Amino acid sequence: MRYSLALAILFIQSLFFVTAKPLDYYFSDSITFDPSIAKPRDVLGYEVGQWHVRHDQLVQYLSILAQQSERINIETIGYSHEQRPLILLTISNKAQLDNIENIRKQHLARLKDSSKDNNGPAVLWMGYSVHGNEPSGSNAAMLVAYYLAAAQGAEVEKLLDNTVILLDPSLNPDGLARFAQWANSNRGMTLSADPQHREHVEAWPSGRTNHYLFDLNRDWLLLQHPESQARIAKFHDWKPNVLTDFHEMGPNSSYFFQPGIPSRTHPLTPDGNVELTNMLASFHANALDNEQQLYFTQESFDDFYYGKGSTYPDINGSVGILFEQASSRGHVQETINGTLHFAQTIKNQLTTSLSTFAGVMKHKAQLLTYQQNFYGEAKKLAAKEDYSGYLVAAEGDEQKLIEFLYLLKQHQIEAYPLKSDYKTYKVGDVFIPLEQPQYRLIKAAFSEQKNFKDNTFYDVSGWTLPHAFNLPFETIKSTRSLKLDARAWQKQPTKPKSELVDGYAFGFSWQQFNAPKMLNYLLKNGIEARVALEGFSAKTTQGISQFKAGSVIIAAGLQNNEKWLTILNQAQNKFDIDIAAIQSGLTSEGIDLGSRFMRPVQAPKVLLVGGEGVSQYELGEVWYHLDKHLELAPSIVEQGRLSHISLDEYSHIILVDGSYSEFTEQLKSKLKQWTKAGGVIWGHKRGAKWLVDNQLVKAQSISRQEMSEQFDTKNLSYKDRDHLSAKQRIAGAIFATHMDLSHPLSFGLQRELLPVFKNSTWLLKPTEQPFLTVGYYLKNPQLAGYTAPENVEKIANNASVIAHRFGRGSVIAMTDNPVFRGYWYGTSRVLTNALFFGGLLTE
């Protein structure tokens, strides 16, 4: 028995030494460490790379480091959706840490006054694993922190004397936790390197995304999530000179570091940024050469969209650096470059972290001077423009304007409210001057550029923020005719509403962004509500008031909840929307309150179809919109379970972009019968295509193949293939559509023009039957971002939204995603209206 036990122990130990890599694997023999500082193994119970570190273990280890080392401060800067702490380490020598707040203020002061000296420390932000299933970064972060806490000698002391290092070990805690659980739970004692092994093929949804299945590396500009909001607030507290962004890519690749493709850098990024990126690149190359690791630069990725971790710094005076390591996706995987161990991926990320330190030390003076000049030039550059700034109108939706301005405020962009009307702009609308430190970011946020030096994009080519919020805006040459508030806009606390007392009925406008959320709140609390399908004027306690189509009416005589008036008072204060007391059912103009055009509204019960084949991003975006903006909880059901559940409990089914090829004929019949019986089915992009292909929508589509075939391919050589592909696709651009404002799906919209975000070439043809086409693309539809002329011409005049009855139910198809990345507040109203009013369509 003892002999067998000893053999078992030896066997387990042999496995351990095959898979585990001690610290001397990661660090040079020339580096000595303070033995009083805990090694990762001392806390984790295993060597780095032997298992995938969980987020709680990561926090535990780094917290212990901060307790043991006088070089580290640790703070929690926020919490993820799943309430995991977002920790940030501030690392420097003890003297500087003891004076860290003064150092921070001095660093910022130098950016405001270019005459000040640049003798302070360089500030580095080291960010790891914004994609949770790219874990080598977060695992390497432990080793970077250990090195900075425990390494001894002149080299590390000089580094700490000359820098403040902000270490963000996990930009996406929820995704990292999801993936660590997956990889660890599918790992055996004997490791499998087979790429087809379950460990290397995640189930839907992947750990790449955060809790709501968003790609957080696209959220740096949009700030929809607490992870991004906390990071950007701290970013601007410090304004680092360099920010690193550690990622992974496919297993059969090698290692990438910037610069990316030179022609794909945003034109607002200064040349000095590119030069510094190239300077730092030589240090990464040298370090990887010494390790005999393969790598490449300048042939992939771009620096265009300013909402990514490696590009947001570029428009804020920092130098952002993207790193991409070939991924083992588990613990070991066979690749075209041989067997790739998780430990090797971690080591490469450590190697380039240390080479970043070396490059910053060498070019510290240039980095500090560059950043100081970046902000110093802003005023001069603004003065050269032929306009002074942008006017932005609320157009009746002050709540949406507030959300827009709050987003700008988080990016330190100042706006000034109008104190008197100007042309079509009203008191409370805002002016955003170019002449401020964020001059370049303002230009980027409002840009409507359509053509570029290189029209190939890794991500989106247009992201104009006011278009996303559907806020009218224009440039203005001079402010002489404007009367502006002397103080920049600040988000104000809401004021209590006047108490509602007994009345015949009560009503509120559908224009405010929070109106749907308030309606859902009322419905869930048992309030009987009606929607006015046509406008009217009625006598209220404030005099004669206008109620547009879409207004919500609560008639006193229909209420069964004895606390209904208390609920109304609570609602108007909770959602900051005025509710008017209507004195009579007889109106002075338009429909009366007992009209057949006053239709009952029911609380939606939504089934959101997910699972393999469905875009986790677009499902997450719809889920997030319903949850955050409507306080409505959808039931997410995977495709594979759809045949086995009753649909009778649901009022709406939503099909986002995805492949639904596995729907059986029996399931298709089931969905059609459910719709005919009164259900509302919504589809966008390929979800809409499924509705068309299965004859639920009375329309024809234009396929991607038809779109691609319109391009002339004669006389093209092999090297032209990427250029052709770039022309054929729509890599995220903004188009103008016309909406029928009398249609229930348009309620709350203030103008016929509705900008939409488009990143697909799939199209709907307008129907010949009247009243079915709710929205269509304009004759000249391109608003911002690149789209080849052939595609623009094909898109023009085609349908964007089609809706009609199907039996006693309704079918709604939209060519584009109405809630793209969570920040398209404008088009989100179409989806919202489908939930509350989609069942009210008539033919």
Side-chain angles (χ1 to χ4, degrees):
M1 177 66 72
R2 289 181 180 176
Y3 179 72
S4 299
L5 180 60
L7 283 177
I9 292 173
L10 285 172
F11 173 69
I12 292 173
Q13 288 178 337
S14 69
L15 289 175
F16 175 82
F17 287 119
V18 166
T19 60
K21 303 294 185 181
L23 283 179
D24 59 10
Y25 168 78
Y26 294 105
F27 293 105
S28 167
D29 294 340
S30 63
I31 302 175
T32 60
F33 294 94
D34 182 347
S36 69
I37 303 297
K39 303 177 180 65
R41 182 184 176 184
D42 298 336
V43 177
L44 303 177
Y46 58 85
E47 297 286 0
V48 174
Q50 187 182 7
W51 295 86
H52 283 251
V53 71
R54 302 193 311 268
H55 184 260
D56 61 295
Q57 294 174 309
L58 183 63
V59 172
Q60 180 189 22
Y61 175 65
L62 296 178
S63 298
I64 289 173
L65 275 189
Q67 293 170 8
Q68 294 179 342
S69 173
E70 61 184 13
R71 301 171 176 175
I72 298 179
N73 289 342
I74 189 170
E75 61 181 316
T76 298
I77 62 173
Y79 290 87
S80 70
H81 283 296
E82 295 177 15
Q83 295 304 295
R84 291 186 172 86
L86 303 166
I87 63 170
L88 184 70
L89 276 59
T90 305
I91 306 171
S92 193
N93 66 31
K94 184 179 186 305
Q96 291 186 154
L97 281 186
D98 290 344
N99 192 38
I100 197 66
E101 182 60 13
N102 284 333
I103 290 174
R104 184 186 71 82
K105 290 179 178 178
Q106 290 165 8
H107 176 72
L108 295 181
R110 283 189 287 270
L111 304 184
K112 294 179 180 179
D113 184 355
S114 58
S115 67
K116 289 183 178 293
D117 65 73
N118 261 326
N119 295 328
V123 181
L124 286 77
W125 186 297
M126 308 295 291
Y128 298 90
S129 298
V130 71
H131 297 139
N133 63 357
E134 298 175 5
S136 58
S138 287
N139 283 265
M142 290 186 292
L143 297 172
V144 175
Y146 174 70
Y147 169 80
L148 295 171
Q152 297 174 320
E155 183 176 344
V156 70
E157 289 175 3
K158 184 178 179 182
L159 172 66
L160 296 171
D161 290 345
N162 285 276
T163 61
V164 172
I165 297 171
L166 306 169
L167 194 150
D168 188 343
S170 175
L171 282 71
N172 180 7
D174 297 345
L176 182 72
R178 191 185 314 140
F179 183 72
Q181 175 68 18
W182 176 270
N184 289 336
S185 63
N186 287 289
R187 173 200 190 279
M189 293 300 293
T190 304
L191 300 181
S192 172
D194 181 2
Q196 299 307 317
H197 175 48
R198 178 177 167 84
E199 179 185 359
H200 304 122
V201 186
E202 283 180 271
W204 185 98
S206 74
R208 176 183 176 87
T209 51
N210 78 337
H211 172 80
Y212 280 101
L213 310 183
F214 276 64
D215 183 338
L216 287 179
N217 195 42
R218 305 301 189 268
D219 196 47
W220 288 68
L221 180 66
L222 313 178
L223 301 185
Q224 295 299 301
H225 299 278
E227 300 92 333
S228 308
Q229 294 162 8
R231 185 182 319 118
I232 292 304
K234 189 59 68 172
F235 176 95
H236 285 295
D237 276 349
W238 272 103
K239 295 194 185 298
N241 299 100
V242 172
L243 184 145
T244 60
D245 187 23
F246 288 88
H247 289 252
E248 292 182 10
M249 52 186 168
N252 290 317
S253 192
S254 57
Y255 197 93
F256 169 86
F257 54 86
Q258 285 179 316
I261 298 175
S263 61
R264 298 178 192 172
T265 298
H266 197 288
L268 286 170
T269 300
D271 292 340
N273 177 286
V274 177
E275 293 169 6
L276 286 165
T277 301
N278 286 325
M279 289 180 185
L280 296 176
S282 65
F283 288 83
H284 311 317
N286 183 61
L288 292 170
D289 284 345
N290 290 338
E291 295 291 333
Q292 297 184 328
Q293 293 296 303
L294 297 174
Y295 59 87
F296 65 98
T297 67
Q298 296 188 316
E299 62 182 76
S300 187
F301 306 103
D302 65 32
D303 273 332
F304 186 78
Y305 170 53
Y306 284 131
K308 297 188 294 185
S310 61
T311 49
Y312 183 80
D314 296 344
I315 198 65
N316 283 280
S318 305
V319 178
I321 307 290
L322 171 67
F323 299 94
E324 294 271 358
Q325 163 64 47
S327 180
S328 64
R329 279 294 185 266
H331 293 84
V332 61
Q333 187 169 167
E334 289 299 330
T335 77
I336 62 171
N337 296 317
T339 303
L340 180 61
H341 288 268
F342 184 36
Q344 181 63 62
T345 71
I346 296 169
K347 184 175 182 178
N348 286 347
Q349 305 283 39
L350 171 64
T351 297
T352 52
S353 295
L354 299 180
S355 65
T356 299
F357 298 155
V360 169
M361 288 296 293
K362 178 70 173 178
H363 297 292
K364 175 188 168 186
Q366 293 99 312
L367 287 162
L368 293 174
T369 300
Y370 167 77
Q371 188 179 47
Q372 194 174 45
N373 290 340
F374 179 93
Y375 286 102
E377 292 170 353
K379 185 175 182 179
K380 298 175 183 177
L381 291 171
K384 293 179 181 180
E385 296 285 355
D386 59 1
Y387 64 101
S388 62
Y390 300 91
L391 279 172
V392 182
E395 206 175 42
D397 190 348
E398 290 77 13
Q399 291 181 335
K400 193 168 60 178
L401 179 64
I402 287 171
E403 292 300 315
F404 173 74
L405 294 175
Y406 181 59
L407 174 60
L408 297 186
K409 192 73 173 179
Q410 291 176 85
H411 294 296
Q412 300 198 327
I413 295 173
E414 302 287 11
Y416 294 85
L418 270 63
K419 295 175 65 176
S420 63
D421 293 352
Y422 174 79
K423 295 183 179 179
T424 59
Y425 295 86
K426 307 298 182 184
V427 173
D429 292 344
V430 296
F431 173 69
I432 300 166
L434 282 180
E435 194 173 307
Q436 52 182 303
Q438 292 293 64
Y439 155 78
R440 291 181 179 87
L441 184 55
I442 294 168
K443 290 268 291 182
F446 283 80
S447 173
E448 295 182 289
Q449 188 171 350
K450 300 179 180 67
N451 283 287
F452 307 87
K453 182 179 178 181
D454 185 337
N455 286 318
T456 304
F457 299 91
Y458 179 75
D459 200 79
V460 301
S461 63
W463 61 85
T464 318
L465 292 184
H467 282 326
F469 282 77
N470 191 24
L471 295 171
F473 72 100
E474 65 178 81
T475 60
I476 184 169
K477 288 190 174 183
S478 172
T479 61
R480 284 193 297 269
S481 300
L482 298 180
K483 291 184 179 180
L484 301 173
D485 197 316
R487 297 169 298 175
W489 178 88
Q490 292 281 355
K491 195 172 185 178
Q492 301 295 325
T494 58
K495 297 179 180 179
K497 305 292 183 184
S498 299
E499 184 178 2
L500 301 172
V501 295
D502 196 21
Y504 180 84
F506 298 86
F508 61 90
S509 167
W510 195 246
Q511 292 175 237
Q512 296 298 312
F513 188 76
N514 283 338
K517 185 187 289 189
M518 186 164 83
L519 174 59
N520 194 50
Y521 174 84
L522 294 174
L523 294 173
K524 288 193 297 185
N525 281 279
I527 301 298
E528 296 291 330
R530 299 284 189 270
V531 59
L533 297 184
E534 295 183 6
F536 64 95
S537 299
K539 183 180 179 181
T540 70
T541 53
Q542 304 300 316
I544 300 297
S545 298
Q546 304 291 324
F547 292 86
K548 293 184 177 182
S551 296
V552 176
I553 306 302
I554 296 100
L558 296 177
Q559 305 310 313
N560 297 312
N561 187 331
E562 61 182 16
K563 296 182 179 180
W564 69 274
L565 196 54
T566 299
I567 294 170
L568 286 189
N569 276 297
Q570 291 171 344
Q572 68 169 356
N573 284 293
K574 176 180 173 70
F575 300 103
D576 193 28
I577 292 178
D578 291 318
I579 298 178
I582 301 174
Q583 302 301 299
S584 172
L586 182 65
T587 66
S588 57
E589 184 180 356
I591 60 174
D592 294 321
L593 269 59
S595 167
R596 63 189 178 92
F597 293 106
M598 288 284 183
R599 301 290 294 278
V601 184
Q602 304 297 326
K605 176 68 172 167
V606 180
L607 189 155
L608 183 52
V609 180
E612 296 293 341
V614 174
S615 168
Q616 66 182 37
Y617 305 119
E618 298 207 7
L619 179 135
E621 289 157 3
V622 171
W623 175 25
Y624 175 78
H625 174 72
L626 269 56
D627 195 358
K628 178 182 178 182
H629 296 304
L630 304 180
E631 294 184 355
L632 191 159
S635 298
I636 301 174
V637 179
E638 294 88 343
Q639 292 191 57
R641 294 196 294 123
L642 208 53
S643 298
H644 308 293
I645 67 169
S646 170
L647 302 180
D648 295 341
E649 298 295 318
Y650 305 101
S651 62
H652 291 70
I653 292 176
I654 297 177
L655 303 178
V656 302
D657 188 45
S659 171
Y660 299 94
S661 59
E662 295 186 8
F663 277 14
T664 63
E665 291 302 320
Q666 183 179 11
L667 177 57
K668 293 176 184 179
S669 177
K670 181 179 178 180
L671 289 170
K672 288 181 179 179
Q673 291 303 315
W674 171 85
T675 308
K676 286 181 179 179
V680 178
I681 189 164
W682 164 288
H684 62 253
K685 295 174 68 174
R686 284 182 292 165
K689 183 179 184 300
W690 186 88
L691 296 176
V692 171
D693 291 345
N694 288 277
Q695 290 83 50
L696 276 86
V697 172
K698 299 174 183 177
Q700 294 180 322
S701 64
I702 299 174
S703 68
R704 292 178 177 176
Q705 182 177 351
E706 185 177 345
M707 292 289 284
S708 64
E709 287 175 349
Q710 65 182 321
F711 291 88
D712 184 6
T713 58
K714 295 178 181 178
N715 303 317
L716 293 183
S717 62
Y718 186 72
K719 66 180 178 60
D720 296 320
R721 65 194 188 283
D722 288 342
H723 179 66
L724 174 64
S725 177
K727 289 181 64 177
Q728 289 175 329
R729 65 192 289 255
I730 299 175
I734 301 172
F735 289 83
T737 65
H738 176 281
M739 295 294 291
D740 177 358
L741 295 185
S742 70
H743 197 283
L745 293 184
S746 298
F747 286 168
L749 299 178
Q750 301 306 301
R751 54 179 182 160
E752 293 175 336
L753 172 68
L754 179 64
V756 302
F757 182 86
K758 190 169 193 63
N759 59 358
S760 166
T761 55
W762 184 79
L763 290 170
L764 277 168
K765 293 180 180 179
T767 63
E768 295 181 1
Q769 187 173 338
F771 317 127
L772 274 59
T773 301
V774 184
Y776 60 86
Y777 299 97
L778 298 186
K779 181 179 180 181
N780 299 302
Q782 188 179 9
L783 287 176
Y786 172 73
T787 303
E790 294 90 339
N791 280 334
V792 174
E793 184 178 353
K794 199 77 170 180
I795 290 168
N797 299 317
N798 275 303
S800 60
V801 181
I802 288 177
H804 57 76
R805 300 293 292 176
F806 191 85
R808 290 188 289 115
S810 300
V811 180
I812 305 167
M814 187 170 183
T815 54
D816 305 301
N817 178 5
V819 289
F820 179 71
R821 292 182 180 169
Y823 81 113
W824 273 81
Y825 281 39
T827 47
S828 71
R829 179 52 66 96
V830 181
L831 174 60
T832 295
N833 287 345
L835 298 179
F836 290 102
F837 311 139
L840 306 180
L841 305 185
T842 58
E843 291 185 3

